[in-house]
Amino acid sequence: MTLQSYQIRELNKQLSDKIPELLDYFGIKSTKDNKRYICACPVHEGDNPTACNIYYTGDDYKGNWVCNTHQCQKKFVSSILGFVRGCLSAGKKKVSFNDTIKFAEKFLGGKIS
């Protein structure tokens, strides 16, 4: 499966609009402030309730995230797609980018055109 960069941007945009639903899907408890969701990092299965920040605002880039304890975003990319890939990979072998795309499309209810 090969996606064009505009398709990946669209997928990131659509996933960023559903951050609360993604957090619910993965069973992640979070708090929300004026620009981000704050939670323990589900990627490395951490217990620090403020370690992971997922930003839902931004002028041209929503959905970026950072793990302040293990920098998990460096391994899985700091986009919301990277966050989803990290969540899917937690506790097991690394999930491929293609499998992450398939999950995201199913989660969003259809293929990205």
Side-chain angles (χ1 to χ4, degrees), residues 41 43-47 51 65-75:
C41 182
V43 177
H44 73 266
E45 300 175 319
D47 59 3
W65 67 288
V66 63
C67 168
N68 292 305
T69 54
H70 289 135
Q71 287 69 50
C72 295
Q73 78 282 358
K74 290 181 180 178
K75 181 177 181 182

Side-chain angles (χ1 to χ4, degrees), residues 38-63:
I38 303 162
C39 58
C41 182
V43 177
H44 73 266
E45 300 175 319
D47 59 3
N48 177 345
T50 63
C52 185
N53 297 280
I54 308 159
Y55 294 86
Y56 63 86
T57 62
D59 293 332
D60 57 6
Y61 184 46
K62 296 187 309 183

Side-chain angles (χ1 to χ4, degrees), residues 14-30:
Q14 290 184 29
L15 286 172
S16 293
D17 290 340
K18 299 217 175 265
I19 292 172
E21 291 89 342
L22 282 169
L23 295 172
D24 285 345
Y25 179 87
F26 289 113
I28 300 167
K29 294 180 182 178
S30 67

